[in-house]
Amino acid sequence: MKQLKKILKVLLSKNGITFPQILNALLYKVSPKRPILNYDPVTLIIYPTDRCNYQCEFCPHHSKLAREKYPYFHEPVQDMSLDDFKKILDLFPKAIFITLAGVGEPLLHPQLFDMADYAAKKHMYIQLITNGSLLDDEKIERILNNPNFYSVSVSLNATSPQDYSVSFDGRPEMFVKVVSNIKNLVKRKKERKHPLLEIAVSFVVHKKNFSKAKDFIEFSEKLGVERVTFLN
């Protein structure tokens, strides 16, 4: 039902979606789930970069203790090229949604917004998952200039610098910066009246912080975001 609501929302948007995308989405909704499917992917999830500007202890990819704590640690790989990104989208033209996320921080990729612009040309709608630390004015402007951005989700996980320091990589000062970036995005979105964009924050729940979930909801309301996501 959630996926259907998203499809209806973009169908009514300025750029809309193509007939093959609509037909593929209908097949997705009515077809039985089986090993061999009769529809193409509706959503693409792409990791444009392996690099990250954080070293969170819980992260199996970038933690300072990664090689000690995580036996499946992988060696770093190079950024995805814009050409490779285009080839992937060209291979799946019936997809409607694309999520730019990853084991790294997507905003570190120098051509991330060129990727997003290409996705918009293909009538695809973009979600960005980010730690929010690099959401400066220039990047916010690129987001708001693209009418097909439907979601920016910031991994926040905390309501104070102290909790943020524990959740991420021991830098409480980054909490103030990230919160300021979120508020700026909310403000600029209202000023520009972006037709689709939903701003969200997320919170990873575990046994040490589940009692703070209510505080996180209240804090998020004060930020002015439209959605709060709890993950586990």
Side-chain angles (χ1 to χ4, degrees):
M1 182 59 70
K2 182 179 179 183
Q3 188 82 311
L4 181 59
K5 287 181 179 179
K6 286 199 301 182
I7 292 170
L8 289 173
K9 188 174 182 181
V10 301
L11 183 60
L12 298 172
S13 68
K14 181 179 179 181
N15 284 2
I17 52 181
T18 65
F19 179 76
Q21 287 175 306
I22 295 172
L23 182 60
N24 188 60
L26 290 174
L27 285 173
Y28 161 77
K29 292 304 296 181
V30 303
S31 300
K33 302 302 181 281
R34 53 193 178 189
I36 299 177
L37 303 173
N38 64 340
Y39 56 86
D40 287 353
V42 175
T43 299
L44 303 177
I45 301 176
I46 293 181
Y47 296 172
T49 183
D50 198 52
R51 296 176 293 127
C52 192
N53 58 333
Y54 280 23
Q55 290 183 302
C56 307
E57 184 176 340
F58 64 80
C59 177
H61 310 287
H62 300 287
S63 167
K64 297 172 184 176
L65 304 175
R67 292 185 182 275
E68 300 171 28
K69 294 180 64 175
Y70 304 104
Y72 44 86
F73 178 83
H74 75 281
E75 295 297 332
V77 297
Q78 64 182 5
D79 288 358
M80 178 180 289
S81 69
L82 181 58
D83 284 342
D84 284 346
F85 178 86
K86 289 180 177 180
K87 289 176 183 176
I88 293 171
L89 269 60
D90 292 345
L91 190 63
F92 299 105
K94 297 176 185 176
I96 299 174
F97 304 105
I98 177 168
T99 295
L100 299 172
V103 297
E105 168 51 48
L107 289 176
L108 284 172
H109 196 294
Q111 293 180 298
L112 183 80
F113 293 107
D114 296 327
M115 293 177 173
D117 290 344
Y118 186 75
K121 290 179 182 178
K122 305 286 286 186
H123 296 275
M124 296 180 188
Y125 292 79
I126 307 108
Q127 176 185 37
L128 171 66
I129 299 177
T130 172
N131 62 35
S133 63
L134 302 174
L135 270 176
D136 57 25
D137 287 340
E138 180 182 354
K139 292 181 178 65
I140 289 174
E141 190 68 16
R142 289 294 299 270
I143 291 169
L144 296 177
N145 282 341
N146 187 328
N148 285 35
F149 258 104
Y150 78 91
S151 175
V152 172
S153 181
V154 179
S155 305
L156 189 56
N157 291 350
T159 60
S160 70
Q162 293 73 28
D163 287 347
Y164 190 85
S165 176
V166 172
S167 293
F168 290 100
D169 66 350
R171 294 185 290 169
E173 70 278 3
M174 294 303 294
F175 176 79
V176 177
K177 181 178 182 180
V178 172
V179 167
S180 176
N181 291 345
I182 295 171
K183 289 180 177 179
N184 190 29
L185 177 60
V186 170
K187 175 176 175 289
R188 299 274 295 280
K189 177 206 163 182
K190 290 179 179 178
E191 292 172 350
R192 295 283 296 275
K193 296 182 173 60
H194 192 284
L196 279 181
L197 184 62
E198 177 184 73
I199 303 169
V201 290
S202 65
F203 185 91
V204 178
V205 182
H206 51 76
K207 61 183 180 180
K208 293 182 179 180
N209 71 357
F210 74 92
S211 63
K212 298 182 179 181
K214 181 181 178 182
D215 292 341
F216 188 77
I217 293 173
E218 294 173 351
F219 183 78
S220 301
E221 287 178 337
K222 293 177 182 177
L223 290 178
V225 301
E226 288 98 346
R227 178 165 55 90
V228 177
T229 303
F230 289 98
L231 307 168
N232 180 262

